[in-house]
């Protein structure tokens, strides 16, 4: 089946025209439709009630920006064939297809060591079989093995269409205005030099704003302390559930969710059994939420406590600070909680937990955001910018947290 061209109304950009009929076939595929049931921002809706947009929204938005970028580069006489344009659009459309429920929760708690990028690639390979090889070039662009590296940079880099869309979209749905960037301006300033994506010098201030916005959105939204507390609570909840199931406890779970709860699936064995991907394709936020709602009444007090805490938003208190908490500080809190709740040493780590989060808006270890200067030279934005804060953004900022029941 090949669908005719379609128009989709996006709340952020207005009308999005799907330019290639077979891309709409991809969108209609159950693998892609699953993204409708996975929230873009995981647990952030517990802080920002409007943050209920999905990975589906984001993928379509990234496609819109990619189409604009390709049109702009062609206007500047960058050679992009129709086949390359289609492949790049397919790659950006499917770049997040491997995300599990609640973003990264499943990667860390249930399917350990299997990253969503690897699963995205596996989905793309499976779809390529169904679409009779139409995704072969898209896979090369996605992996970065295609000889025109700038196409991969549009999909995955420090200045890709993915990041630009999620900053604008997350800002829109959370109401946090610090994430607003000049995406139109940045795209108009894109060019290609020496086979790599660059930004023309007159666009440097838009890049500075982009990097500042990214840093602020991490502290204000993605690493908001209450969001961090909720996400770790979810991880501990899934860890406890898996621990009980592996001990032989009967625990309610949807069939797809139970597939991963009842087995030790990791990077070593995920890719050897085709059924793993099919079960993963059936797994979304609804599976987790439905199961957690039932677990609220489970006789295991720890599982019940964690479930009620998450469903009813009775989240633990979280303290953020710039220095690590001492062992004595943590142990003191643990002793107080153990006495107050009558918790054993084996269970206390589900109630009191500590760790750290990291934020660096610009990495000097990845492919740089390069500025094409008027004299023809190409330099890293941190060396060209006269804004001191840009060069400091490559510094990894670490904050430490301690969580415990209120």
């Amino acid at each position: 089946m090949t669908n005719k061209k379609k128009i989709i109304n996006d709340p952020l950009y207005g009308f999005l025209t799907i330019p290639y009929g077979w891309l709409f076939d991809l969108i209609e595929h159950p693998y892609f439709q699953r993204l409708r049931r996975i929230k873009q921002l995981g647990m952030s809706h517990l802080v920002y009630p409007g943050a209920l947009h999905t990975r589906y929204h984001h993928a379509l938005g990234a496609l819109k920006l990619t189409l604009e970028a390709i049109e702009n580069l062609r206007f500047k006489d960058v050679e992009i064939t129709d086949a390359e344009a289609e492949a790049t659009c397919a790659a950006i459309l499917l770049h997040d297809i491997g995300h599990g429920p609640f973003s990264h929760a499943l990667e860390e708690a249930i399917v350990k060591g299997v990253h969503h990028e690897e699963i995205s690639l596996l989905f793309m390979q499976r779809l390529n079989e169904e679409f009779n090889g139409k995704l072969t070039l898209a896979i090369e662009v996605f992996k970065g093995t295609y000889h025109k590296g700038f196409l991969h940079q549009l999909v995955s880099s420090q200045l890709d269409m993915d990041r630009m869309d999620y900053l604008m979209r997350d800002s829109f749905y959370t109401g946090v205005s610090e994430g607003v960037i000049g995406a139109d301006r940045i795209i108009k300033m894109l060019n290609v030099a020496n086979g790599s994506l660059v930004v023309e010098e007159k666009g440097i201030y838009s890049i500075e704003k982009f990097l500042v916005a990214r840093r602020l959105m991490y502290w204000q939204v993605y690493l908001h302390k209450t969001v961090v507390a909720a996400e770790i609570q979810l991880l501990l909840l899934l860890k406890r559930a898996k621990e009980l199931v592996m001990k032989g406890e009967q625990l309610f779970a949807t069939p797809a969710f139970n597939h991963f709860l009842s087995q030790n699936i990791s990077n070593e064995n995920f890719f050897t059994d085709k059924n793993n991907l099919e079960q993963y394709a059936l797994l979304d936020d609804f599976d987790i939420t439905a199961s957690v709602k039932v677990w609220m009444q489970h006789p295991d007090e720890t599982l019940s406590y964690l479930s009620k805490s998450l469903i009813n938003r009775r989240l633990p208190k979280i303290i953020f600070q710039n220095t690590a908490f001492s062992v004595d500080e943590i142990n003191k809190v643990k002793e107080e909680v153990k006495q107050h709740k009558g918790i054993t040493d084996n269970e206390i780590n589900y109630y009191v937990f500590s760790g750290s989060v990291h934020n660096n808006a610009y990495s000097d270890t990845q492919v740089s955001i390069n500025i094409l200067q008027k004299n023809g030279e190409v330099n890293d934005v941190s060396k060209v910018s006269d804004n001191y804060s840009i060069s400091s953004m490559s510094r990894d900022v670490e904050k430490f947290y301690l969580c415990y029941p209120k």
Side-chain angles (χ1 to χ4, degrees):
M1 179 183 70
T2 300
N3 284 290
K4 63 181 181 179
K5 294 179 182 179
K6 297 285 185 177
I7 296 175
I8 298 172
N9 195 353
D10 181 82
L12 199 58
Y13 307 125
F15 291 109
L16 160 64
T17 301
I18 308 296
Y20 314 108
W22 72 278
L23 284 186
F24 191 75
D25 292 336
L26 277 180
I27 292 170
E28 289 288 274
H29 195 282
Y31 287 171
F32 192 85
Q33 289 294 310
R34 166 182 165 272
L35 298 181
R36 289 181 182 269
R37 305 186 298 276
I38 296 179
K39 286 190 287 293
Q40 172 74 8
L41 287 182
M43 307 303 295
S44 295
H45 66 285
L46 295 179
V47 177
Y48 300 102
L52 295 169
H53 56 301
T54 65
R55 294 274 168 191
Y56 181 87
H57 293 131
H58 165 58
L60 293 178
L63 172 63
K64 167 75 170 177
L65 297 184
T66 301
L67 286 165
E68 292 180 1
I70 290 171
E71 181 184 359
N72 172 70
L73 292 175
R74 280 176 162 174
F75 179 75
K76 295 178 180 179
D77 297 322
V78 176
E79 185 184 351
I80 302 174
T81 67
D82 287 344
E84 290 167 343
E86 285 189 35
T88 306
C89 287
I92 195 67
L93 195 61
L94 301 176
H95 77 282
D96 268 353
I97 199 170
H99 264 290
F102 296 102
S103 295
H104 303 283
L106 220 71
E107 292 179 24
E108 299 178 43
I110 303 296
V111 189
K112 291 187 177 179
V114 184
H115 301 293
H116 73 270
E117 294 91 349
E118 298 173 280
I119 301 176
S120 290
L121 180 58
L122 190 58
F123 272 126
M124 291 174 74
Q125 291 167 341
R126 193 69 60 83
L127 286 167
N128 197 32
E129 296 172 9
E130 291 189 35
F131 281 78
N132 300 316
K134 274 193 172 184
L135 285 165
T136 300
L137 185 54
I139 290 171
E140 289 184 43
V141 171
F142 180 79
K143 291 167 64 177
T145 57
Y146 190 61
H147 69 276
K148 292 186 179 180
F150 67 89
L151 296 176
H152 172 73
Q153 287 178 281
L154 289 174
V155 177
S156 179
S157 66
Q158 295 202 80
L159 187 66
D160 55 30
M161 302 306 106
D162 170 35
R163 294 188 185 195
M164 275 198 265
D165 179 78
Y166 77 60
L167 281 176
M168 294 180 66
R169 192 166 299 276
D170 297 346
S171 173
F172 177 83
Y173 281 99
T174 58
V176 177
S177 60
E178 283 79 3
V180 176
I181 60 170
D184 290 343
R185 171 77 172 167
I186 292 173
I187 288 173
K188 291 295 183 187
M189 294 298 107
L190 293 179
N191 210 327
V192 173
N194 304 320
S196 295
L197 201 65
V198 295
V199 180
E200 294 167 1
E201 187 173 9
K202 54 190 175 181
I204 191 168
Y205 299 120
S206 297
I207 300 303
E208 290 177 354
K209 188 174 189 301
F210 165 79
L211 293 174
V212 171
R214 190 161 184 266
R215 178 179 180 276
L216 294 177
M217 283 293 283
Y218 264 86
W219 286 134
Q220 204 157 335
V221 178
Y222 312 130
L223 297 178
H224 186 287
K225 65 177 187 177
T226 306
V227 174
V228 170
E231 291 184 345
I232 297 170
Q233 191 93 327
L234 175 60
L235 293 178
L236 291 172
L237 172 60
L238 296 176
K239 179 183 175 184
R240 180 62 170 182
K242 189 170 182 67
E243 180 183 310
L244 293 173
V245 170
M246 298 307 289
K247 287 180 178 178
E249 288 261 3
Q250 291 296 314
L251 211 61
F252 171 86
T254 62
F257 189 18
N258 186 62
H259 175 82
F260 294 99
L261 272 181
S262 60
Q263 300 181 67
N264 285 319
I265 298 175
S266 63
N267 193 274
E268 287 73 33
N269 56 20
F270 182 90
F271 301 97
T272 57
D273 184 352
K274 284 188 175 182
N275 189 42
N276 286 333
L277 188 67
E278 293 307 316
Q279 293 299 319
Y280 191 89
L282 297 171
L283 198 58
D284 55 51
D285 288 5
F286 296 160
D287 292 81
I288 307 297
T289 303
S291 301
V292 173
K293 283 176 66 180
V294 174
W295 297 345
M296 290 169 66
Q297 308 303 323
H298 196 274
D300 180 79
E301 289 187 14
T302 298
L303 183 66
S304 175
Y305 161 77
L306 293 171
S307 300
K308 289 176 181 176
S309 174
L310 207 62
I311 294 297
N312 297 323
R313 201 190 177 279
R314 294 173 181 167
L315 301 173
K317 182 176 179 61
I318 181 169
I319 300 173
F320 261 35
Q321 63 182 40
N322 295 325
T323 56
F325 290 89
S326 69
V327 175
D328 288 341
E329 286 178 295
I330 297 170
N331 286 340
K332 181 182 177 183
V333 173
K334 286 183 176 180
E335 286 302 319
E336 290 176 356
V337 173
K338 277 196 292 185
Q339 291 178 17
H340 181 69
K341 288 187 171 289
I343 301 167
T344 66
D345 289 339
N346 293 331
E347 295 173 336
I348 189 60
N349 290 330
Y350 286 108
Y351 293 80
V352 179
F353 43 92
S354 59
S356 64
V357 293
H358 298 260
N359 184 5
N360 63 327
Y362 185 62
S363 174
D364 53 10
T365 61
Q366 299 179 30
V367 177
S368 305
I369 297 176
N370 287 321
I371 304 299
L372 176 62
Q373 296 181 262
K374 291 176 182 176
N375 61 8
E377 290 184 10
V378 175
N379 287 296
D380 188 310
V381 63
S382 63
K383 295 180 173 59
V384 177
S385 173
D386 57 7
N387 188 338
Y388 173 75
S389 65
I390 297 301
S391 57
S392 68
M393 282 187 191
S394 60
R395 180 174 63 89
D396 182 54
V397 179
E398 184 176 16
K399 288 189 177 182
F400 300 86
Y401 62 81
L402 175 63
C403 285
Y404 54 89
K406 291 180 180 178

